[in-house]
Amino acid sequence: MKQDMIVVLDLGSEENPKIAREIRALGVYSEIHPHDITLAELKALPNVKGIILNGGPNRVVDGVSIDVAKEIYDCDIPALLVDHRGDDPWPVDDGERETALKNFIFTICGAEANWNMDNFIADQVELIRNQVGDKKVLLALSGGVDSSVVAALLIKAIGQQLVCVHVNHGLMRKNESESVIEVFKNQLHANLIYVDATDRFLDKLAGVADPEQKRKIIGGEFIRVFEEEARKLEGIDFLGQGTIYPDIIESGTKTAKMVKSHHNVGGLPEDLKFQLVEPLKQLFKDEVRACGVELGLPPAMVYRQPFPGPGLGVRCLGAITRERLAAVRESDAILREEFEKAGLNKKVWQYFTVVPDFKSVGVKNNARCFDYMVIIRAINTIDAMTATIERVDWDVLQTITDRILSEVDHVNRVCYDMSPKPPATIEFE
Ligand code: XMP
């Protein structure tokens, strides 16, 4: 193992991710582990130089007092108690905090500042090889940042022992499946199974207008298609997942309440038993991107804007039709192209188009026409909980509008959504 590690034991403090990030910012790798880890489990972690207990002993979470095992307090690994009470409270001033952390990590624990992506990748490759041996790993590769980075890391570690399945649900953006095939099959020579399930998804979705129902159908069908592929393959013991640290926080740790349930490929049937391989589960999003860059993935894949799992399905509003789905896909491609030309792709957090399921009157070629509209949305946010709109330059909007009206079939009107979140949400469904 190449990197030293400081373990933050989770006594229910919401500050744990912040502390882990502060330690990593000082160049030392840090992982967060549950408070009930045993001494043997702690000792089995590589290169643990120190532990930090944030919250103090006998924390009360939901009326229950929790603490780490006495044997951990008594062991030979240096421990820092970050207590906000008492005579010698943990400094709140950022500079003082940094000094206190540095003193603990470097002077008391003797850790080396050797956390960087090269070492992280080298360590994960070793860990993956140890875990997997000569067995095979299955991975649902959507082309999103997390699944792409985990695929690249697994390819580096175990090459052809990784089997990627890319399910095209027909709700991808323009050229998205093609670029997954190009990067992973043609450039990285992955063992990639491509399943075009467009017809299957669109048939199931026909006539369904309720957004939650649409999401359920898309999620459920995805699992069924993936399961069918998994059953065709033999001798697979492991399932790779692009779980990252924020997913774990959102799904609730032992001490934090569940914010939302998170499923990457949750819901597989009981008899399909896999052990999980989750090499990114301690990384924050920016670190996942840095890892992807280091592994040679194209910047467009690593820095792409967030894209919902149900894809264009929740942007083709109401009951999905192929005609309107094509209008969403083409207008989205134009928007992305023009945002890139204007340099807005690096500035705006999320931008997309939607097509509602009603028509408005227009005039084309001197005749009355009755056609759909495209709504453009471009927002900025820190955490997706609240959002403000981007004040897109008028000329850029004019160019996009002109292109959509002349290049996209069945569209006679383009609108710009001015609504912040709240009261609107980022997506329309
Ligand atoms: P809302 O619309 O709730 O969106 O303001 C907040 C963020 O979440 C994304 N989003 C989704 N992501 N599956 C996903 O993986 C979904 O069903 C889903 N719905 C919304 C949305 O794009 C935005 O970034």
Side-chain angles (χ1 to χ4, degrees):
M1 285 295 145
K2 298 199 180 289
Q3 13 183 41
D4 290 345
M5 190 197 314
I6 300 290
V7 170
V8 176
L9 289 182
D10 179 11
L11 283 166
S13 166
E14 285 171 7
E15 266 200 352
N16 291 330
K18 184 168 174 247
I19 292 200
R21 294 203 69 130
E22 285 170 346
I23 299 167
R24 290 185 197 181
L26 295 173
V28 179
Y29 184 55
S30 172
E31 286 188 356
I32 302 161
H33 284 273
H35 64 89
D36 57 0
I37 190 170
T38 64
L39 181 59
E41 285 166 339
L42 184 67
K43 292 256 168 166
L45 295 172
N47 293 359
V48 177
K49 298 290 177 186
I51 50 182
I52 292 186
L53 296 128
N54 189 12
N58 297 315
R59 285 266 307 192
V60 177
V61 177
D62 287 344
V64 181
S65 161
I66 58 165
D67 207 344
V68 300
K70 186 171 177 304
E71 54 177 16
I72 290 183
Y73 285 114
D74 294 343
C75 80
D76 55 354
I77 306 171
L80 173 68
L81 254 173
V82 179
D83 199 346
H84 301 273
R85 306 156 300 181
D87 301 334
D88 190 16
W90 180 245
V92 273
D93 172 77
D94 281 350
E96 284 178 34
R97 260 175 91 97
E98 191 179 318
T99 309
L101 265 183
K102 272 187 181 160
N103 179 49
F104 176 69
I105 296 168
F106 299 115
T107 313
I108 299 176
C109 302
E112 256 186 72
N114 54 8
W115 149 250
N116 57 50
M117 264 313 142
D118 263 356
N119 285 345
F120 174 80
I121 291 169
D123 282 353
Q124 288 305 321
V125 164
E126 191 181 329
L127 289 169
I128 293 165
R129 286 181 184 155
N130 287 344
Q131 186 189 3
V132 172
D134 59 359
K135 302 284 194 310
K136 284 186 181 163
V137 180
L138 181 64
L139 175 74
L141 175 57
S142 67
V145 178
D146 306 339
S147 72
S148 297
V149 175
V150 89
L153 188 52
L154 284 164
I155 291 166
K156 188 176 173 76
I158 55 168
Q160 296 297 301
Q161 285 165 254
L162 173 70
V163 184
C164 300
V165 175
H166 176 69
V167 177
N168 179 356
H169 50 25
L171 306 166
M172 300 292 214
R173 287 176 292 195
K174 193 170 181 174
N175 291 331
E176 208 157 30
S177 284
E178 290 81 352
S179 97
V180 168
I181 294 170
E182 170 55 28
V183 170
F184 289 97
K185 202 175 184 98
N186 301 346
Q187 293 176 19
L188 298 177
H189 308 293
N191 197 346
L192 172 68
I193 297 170
Y194 171 67
V195 188
D196 183 356
T198 302
D199 289 342
R200 191 169 157 166
F201 276 82
L202 295 189
D203 287 352
K204 277 259 151 103
L205 287 163
V208 181
D210 176 65
E212 285 314 303
Q213 196 60 29
K214 285 165 71 176
R215 272 196 177 74
K216 271 202 188 113
I217 292 173
I218 296 166
E221 202 57 17
F222 182 88
I223 289 165
R224 269 186 293 279
V225 174
F226 186 73
E227 180 202 337
E228 283 170 24
E229 292 305 316
R231 286 194 194 284
K232 287 185 207 160
L233 301 162
E234 298 211 333
I236 298 217
D237 294 80
F238 294 91
L239 187 69
Q241 284 206 326
T243 315
I244 69 171
Y245 194 66
D247 300 335
I248 292 179
I249 302 174
E250 288 193 345
S251 301
T253 56
K254 283 181 183 162
T255 49
K257 287 216 183 72
M258 191 169 90
V259 181
K260 74 174 186 193
S261 65
H262 182 89
H263 301 285
N264 282 333
V265 188
L268 282 174
E270 275 290 302
D271 67 315
L272 275 179
K273 281 207 169 66
F274 297 109
Q275 288 180 61
L276 296 182
V277 184
E278 299 177 294
L280 307 179
K281 71 166 186 275
Q282 290 285 345
L283 295 192
F284 295 94
K285 196 78 182 189
D286 54 319
E287 295 168 338
V288 173
R289 295 191 211 275
C291 183
V293 170
E294 196 68 35
L295 288 163
L297 290 179
M301 190 167 251
V302 170
Y303 288 100
R304 67 180 222 156
Q305 52 167 324
F307 186 59
L312 300 181
V314 288
R315 296 178 181 170
C316 184
L317 307 184
I320 297 168
T321 63
R322 285 175 195 254
E323 198 172 77
R324 281 189 304 111
L325 186 57
V328 180
R329 182 175 287 126
E330 294 305 318
S331 57
D332 170 76
I334 291 170
L335 178 74
R336 285 194 286 140
E337 233 176 271
E338 294 302 327
F339 262 43
E340 198 171 334
K341 275 190 208 158
L344 289 172
N345 58 322
K346 296 213 171 78
K347 175 175 179 237
V348 182
W349 201 82
Q350 200 172 10
Y351 45 97
F352 54 88
T353 62
V354 301
V355 175
D357 57 351
F358 60 86
K359 292 180 172 179
S360 74
V361 176
V363 56
K364 255 188 204 168
N365 306 322
N366 294 323
R368 178 186 181 277
C369 69
F370 197 43
D371 257 329
Y372 295 110
M373 75 173 66
V374 166
I375 302 172
I376 298 171
R377 185 144 175 76
I379 61 93
N380 291 305
T381 177
I382 304 284
D383 56 9
M385 304 291 281
T386 62
T388 53
I389 61 150
E390 169 72 16
R391 292 172 167 241
V392 181
D393 180 77
W394 210 252
D395 290 338
V396 175
L397 280 179
Q398 192 64 63
T399 306
I400 296 165
T401 302
D402 292 346
R403 280 196 62 193
I404 291 174
L405 291 176
S406 66
E407 294 173 36
V408 184
D409 290 340
H410 308 292
V411 173
N412 63 0
R413 203 178 282 273
V414 176
C415 300
Y416 189 75
D417 183 356
M418 299 288 290
S419 329
K421 173 181 181 174
T425 48
I426 295 174
E427 302 286 346
F428 276 56
E429 293 196 328

